[in-house]
């Protein structure tokens, strides 16, 4: 039995689907279990990182754990709560979804994910750490603006990143969960090429056959917008730190890890975008 936390999100949902396709018994944890995909061998369970009793119930009888916690300053507490429950419940393996650069002191995301990474390593369980770059699916947030014919905001300027297909991340997670080949390993997961947000917009423009442009958003303005949207100051500061890192070229990283693990090239942003064309192809708003 493999427990998947964050089972209704972009990565967690795909991990659940792939595990079910392999015939694995899956326990999918969510605060809203009704949103868990209905698939053979998948059992949805309620769980809340702030409720130790719910975590204890979720890990009962589980042998493997995919640990995914939503981004935010609560990540360390959530990771530690889940790891504590897993150890007490005799879980034998944990695969933690971290973030690129989490192993570098002072890097964006390190403060949120390094405590959980350390706890995983010292847990006594077999473990794997996955550190993906930014997801191709983040551009889905542009869909309404593209439909309205408006330029999409770019927080990262011309900074390039190894944008990764979330499906590749999920597939790597499943490999780590279902074999011993990745025990004790740390993988940085990227796409096969470096691409900027204006570069991603150009790809979408070509695929959609309509103008897709970007407008640069200064970092202080980006922080103000995040605060205005309801993000806390700590979350906004971490996000802006990440934007600055990309702008300065510190996330211009491409690794061979996806290809080496999956035995095929990592998916390009263009391929991901073509596969998700319909999500962007709504008629322009009037």
């Amino acid at each position: 039995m493999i427990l998947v936390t964050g089972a209704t999100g972009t990565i967690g949902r795909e991990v659940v689907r792939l595990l079910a396709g392999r015939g694995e018994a899956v326990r999918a944890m969510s605060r809203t279990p009704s949103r868990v995909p209905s698939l053979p061998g998948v059992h949805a369970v309620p769980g809340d990182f702030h409720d130790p009793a719910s975590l204890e119930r979720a890990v009962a009888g589980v042998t493997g754990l995919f640990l995914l916690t939503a981004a935010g300053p609560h990540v360390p507490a959530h990771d530690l709560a889940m790891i504590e429950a897993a150890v007490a419940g005799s879980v034998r393996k944990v695969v933690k979804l971290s973030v690129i650069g989490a192993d570098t002191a002072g890097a964006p995301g390190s403060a949120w994910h390094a405590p959980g990474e350390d706890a995983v390593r010292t847990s006594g369980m077999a473990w794997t750490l996955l550190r993906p770059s930014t997801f191709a699916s983040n551009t889905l947030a542009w869909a309404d603006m593209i439909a309205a014919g408006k330029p999409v905001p770019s927080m990262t300027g011309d900074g390039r990143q190894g944008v990764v297909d979330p499906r590749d991340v999920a597939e790597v997670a499943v490999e780590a969960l279902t074999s011993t080949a990745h025990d004790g390993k740390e993988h940085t997961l990227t796409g096969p090429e470096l691409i900027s947000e204006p570069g991603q917009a150009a790809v979408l423009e070509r695929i959609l056959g309509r103008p897709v442009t970007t407008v640069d958003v200064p970092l202080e303005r980006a922080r103000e917008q995040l605060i205005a949207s309801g993000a806390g100051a700590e979350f906004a500061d971490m996000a802006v730190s990440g934007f600055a890192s990309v702008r300065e070229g510190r996330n211009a990283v491409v690794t061979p890890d996806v290809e080496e693990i999956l035995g095929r090239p990592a998916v390009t942003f263009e391929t991901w975008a073509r596969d998700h064309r319909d999500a962007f192809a709504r008629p322009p708003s009037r």
Side-chain angles (χ1 to χ4, degrees), residues 52-106:
S54 75
L55 302 184
E56 180 180 345
R57 291 190 294 270
V59 300
V62 164
T63 55
L65 165 66
F66 180 62
L67 176 56
L68 185 162
T69 49
H74 50 260
V75 167
H78 288 184
D79 278 351
L80 297 178
M82 192 73 248
I83 294 165
E84 181 179 351
V87 170
S90 300
V91 175
R92 296 197 295 269
K93 170 179 286 196
V94 57
V95 176
K96 171 175 161 53
L97 188 70
S98 185
V99 65
I100 191 169
D103 55 334
T104 303

Side-chain angles (χ1 to χ4, degrees), residues 110-262:
S110 177
W112 288 354
H113 286 279
E117 288 197 359
D118 290 342
V120 163
R121 291 191 196 93
T122 60
S123 66
M125 296 182 283
W127 57 267
T128 307
L129 297 174
L130 304 180
R131 302 188 184 112
S133 188
T134 190
F135 296 154
S137 55
N138 290 353
T139 57
L140 291 172
W142 298 353
D144 288 343
M145 287 167 281
I146 292 173
K150 298 178 180 179
V152 298
S154 173
M155 316 298 188
T156 56
D158 291 324
R160 300 191 299 161
Q161 304 182 78
V163 175
V164 66
D165 187 331
R167 296 172 298 184
D168 281 352
V169 177
E171 193 170 339
V172 169
V174 169
E175 290 297 322
L177 286 163
T178 57
S179 78
T180 61
H182 306 284
D183 290 359
K185 294 184 179 179
E186 305 170 9
H187 297 302
T188 296
L189 308 179
T190 74
E193 61 190 352
L194 295 174
I195 189 169
S196 65
E197 287 186 328
Q200 290 172 286
V203 170
L204 289 170
E205 179 173 283
R206 184 166 63 251
I207 290 170
L208 298 174
R210 70 171 64 161
V212 180
T213 59
T214 62
V215 58
D216 187 71
V217 179
L219 294 182
E220 185 53 41
R221 179 58 181 155
R223 185 181 187 279
E224 292 171 358
Q225 291 176 350
L226 285 167
I227 296 292
S229 70
E234 188 175 353
F235 183 99
D237 288 342
M238 183 64 76
V240 169
S241 176
F243 300 152
S245 178
V246 177
R247 282 177 177 264
E248 295 162 9
R250 287 183 279 130
N251 202 39
V253 176
V254 168
T255 75
D257 291 20
V258 168
E259 182 168 5
E260 290 176 355
I261 294 165
L262 301 182

